[in-house]
């Protein structure tokens, strides 16, 4: 699966070491990692199946939840099969083209997920603050358009990362102390000037996350203000429950990402294995928790899941 054309000098192989310093414990580490991965896949596929089967769930909120489930599945699946091959079979080699392709898909899906979370926040804002116009603003067609816009944005933003790296010459030591091809880990393998790569990656990360978090914070600020004005206690509680689920998902998605990204770039004081474990948990924990959060906090979805249990 090599998407990017490379010069002959770059058509070599990288070695992914796994978790540096903890190689003897790879088998034991793989147990919770594989469990998180399986639980995440199972939970998200259940959400997709139930929403697909139940006509009553063919609503914008649940269509967005399906988009979130697809990004969760794609994000962890782009990394975990290779990581488990390293842990179980010591298969550490990956071609440069394969590495750049993995990096492209991983960061594209991650950026796409951020766009989905912004759309979900806007969906709740319209549903609570302007309910009379909700059905006309959020239709299935509009959801599809927003999804396409989010995907296009992700591809256009992330595509320069592997393209810039494909023009670099890599050092003789092709050992990447990681379980997957994370952008900064690959950048550090280059022997050339990586100023542009580092700057673009850092700026894009903070622009995307900064813009998306600002929009989410604005939406939820207006939502909380509207909730506080609701006089009906039952409606107040229903709106609060829905928002609580969304806010929990935001925290589980953005907090590990920001912490992992910052510690990888400003690594003083952190052991290498801490970086790698955090980076993997960022890809495993949100996909595992998101279906559980929505299943617990959203009664309509929970009832439909139990129907098939």
């Amino acid at each position: 699966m090599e998407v990017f054309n490379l010069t002959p000098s770059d058509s070599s192989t990288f070695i992914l070491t796994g978790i540096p310093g903890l190689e003897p414990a790879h088998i034991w580490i793989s147990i919770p990692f594989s469990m998180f991965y399986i639980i995440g896949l199972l939970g998200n596929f259940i959400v997709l199946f139930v929403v697909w089967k139940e006509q009553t769930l063919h609503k914008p909120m649940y269509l967005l939840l399906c988009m979130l489930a697809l990004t969760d599945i794609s994000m962890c699946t782009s990394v975990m099969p290779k990581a488990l091959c390293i842990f179980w079979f010591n298969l550490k080699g990956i071609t440069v083209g394969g590495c750049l392709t993995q990096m492209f898909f991983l960061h594209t899906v991650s950026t796409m997920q951020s766009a989905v979370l912004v759309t979900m926040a806007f969906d709740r804002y319209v549903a609570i603050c302007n309910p009379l116009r909700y059905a006309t603003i959020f239709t299935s067609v509009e959801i599809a358009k927003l999804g396409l816009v989010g995907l296009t944005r992700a591809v256009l933003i992330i595509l320069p990362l592997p393209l810039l790296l494909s023009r670099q010459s890599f050092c003789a030591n092709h050992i990447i102390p990681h379980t997957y091809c994370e952008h900064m880990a690959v950048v550090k393998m280059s022997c050339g000037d990586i100023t542009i790569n580092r700057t673009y990656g850092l700026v894009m990360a903070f622009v995307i996350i900064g813009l998306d978090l600002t929009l989410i914070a604005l939406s939820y600020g207006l939502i909380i203000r509207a909730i506080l004005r609701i006089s009906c206690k039952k409606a107040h509680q229903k709106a609060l429950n829905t928002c609580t689920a969304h806010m929990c998902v935001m925290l589980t998605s953005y907090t590990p990402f920001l912490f992992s990204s910052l510690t990888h770039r400003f690594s003083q004081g952190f052991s290498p294995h801490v970086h790698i474990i955090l980076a993997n948990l960022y890809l495993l924990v949100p996909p595992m928790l998101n279906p559980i959060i929505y299943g617990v906090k959203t009664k309509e979805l929970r009832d439909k899941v139990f129907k098939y249990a």
Side-chain angles (χ1 to χ4, degrees):
M1 188 174 65
E2 297 186 15
V3 172
F4 302 98
N5 293 322
L6 302 172
T7 60
S9 61
D10 286 335
S11 58
S12 53
T13 301
F14 283 143
I15 304 297
L16 294 166
T17 63
I19 303 176
L22 297 179
E23 287 86 355
H26 274 176
I27 290 292
W28 297 107
I29 293 171
S30 72
I31 295 173
F33 277 24
S34 57
M35 286 179 61
F36 292 166
Y37 180 49
I38 292 168
I39 293 170
L41 289 181
L42 183 63
N44 283 290
F45 275 121
I46 288 174
V47 169
L48 291 172
F49 173 77
V50 171
V51 174
W52 174 62
K53 291 288 287 185
E54 293 293 330
Q55 289 290 329
T56 56
L57 296 182
H58 291 184
K59 303 174 183 177
M61 174 181 169
Y62 295 105
L63 294 178
L64 286 170
L65 187 55
C66 286
M67 290 172 63
L68 181 66
L70 286 172
T71 60
D72 279 339
I73 291 168
S74 301
M75 195 158 65
C76 59
T77 301
S78 67
V79 166
M80 284 315 298
K82 179 60 181 177
L84 293 177
C85 283
I86 296 171
F87 293 153
W88 291 342
F89 310 114
N90 206 34
L91 298 175
K92 300 181 177 183
I94 183 171
T95 64
V96 175
C99 187
L100 295 181
T101 301
Q102 184 191 55
M103 182 184 73
F104 171 73
F105 279 109
L106 171 62
H107 291 300
T108 297
V109 173
S110 178
T111 305
M112 173 67 184
Q113 186 180 70
S114 186
V116 172
L117 293 174
V118 172
T119 307
M120 292 174 79
F122 184 58
D123 168 78
R124 290 301 86 200
Y125 163 72
V126 176
I128 293 171
C129 300
N130 202 350
L132 297 178
R133 297 188 59 195
Y134 180 77
T136 57
I137 294 175
F138 274 94
T139 63
S140 298
V141 174
E142 292 304 315
I143 294 296
K145 288 180 180 177
L146 289 171
L148 185 60
V149 169
L151 179 60
T152 303
R153 182 190 79 151
V155 170
L156 292 177
I157 288 173
I158 299 302
L159 189 58
L161 295 180
L163 290 180
L164 286 169
L165 278 171
S166 68
R167 298 168 63 88
Q168 292 280 349
S169 58
F170 294 101
C171 301
N173 180 10
H174 282 194
I175 297 174
I176 301 177
H178 214 302
T179 55
Y180 61 89
C181 294
E182 197 272 339
H183 176 243
M184 284 306 301
V186 180
V187 166
K188 291 176 181 178
M189 294 296 101
S190 173
C191 291
D193 185 4
I194 59 173
T195 304
I196 295 176
N197 301 74
R198 291 178 67 97
T199 303
Y200 183 82
L202 188 62
V203 170
M204 285 301 99
F206 279 98
V207 166
I208 294 167
I209 300 302
L211 176 61
D212 290 355
L213 282 178
T214 299
L215 293 173
I216 290 170
L218 180 62
S219 296
Y220 279 103
L222 295 172
I223 288 170
I224 291 170
R225 187 180 69 173
I227 289 175
L228 294 175
R229 292 178 177 177
I230 297 175
S231 56
C232 175
K233 187 175 180 180
K234 187 176 179 180
H236 184 283
Q237 189 62 39
K238 182 179 178 181
L240 195 60
N241 278 340
T242 304
C243 289
T244 302
H246 283 270
M247 292 173 76
C248 288
V249 168
M250 306 296 170
L251 288 173
T252 60
S253 298
Y254 283 115
T255 305
F257 168 79
L258 287 172
F259 193 72
S260 174
S261 180
L262 288 171
T263 55
H264 201 85
R265 285 176 169 82
F266 310 106
S267 57
Q268 294 83 357
F270 287 92
S271 301
H273 64 267
V274 174
H275 294 293
I276 313 307
I277 291 173
L278 285 174
N280 281 275
L281 290 178
Y282 153 63
L283 299 175
L284 288 171
V285 173
M288 180 182 66
L289 291 181
N290 290 345
I292 297 172
I293 292 170
Y294 278 105
V296 170
K297 300 297 292 184
T298 310
K299 185 178 184 299
E300 190 176 11
L301 178 61
R302 184 172 67 247
D303 291 343
K304 297 300 182 183
V305 170
F306 286 147
K307 174 183 173 181
Y308 291 95

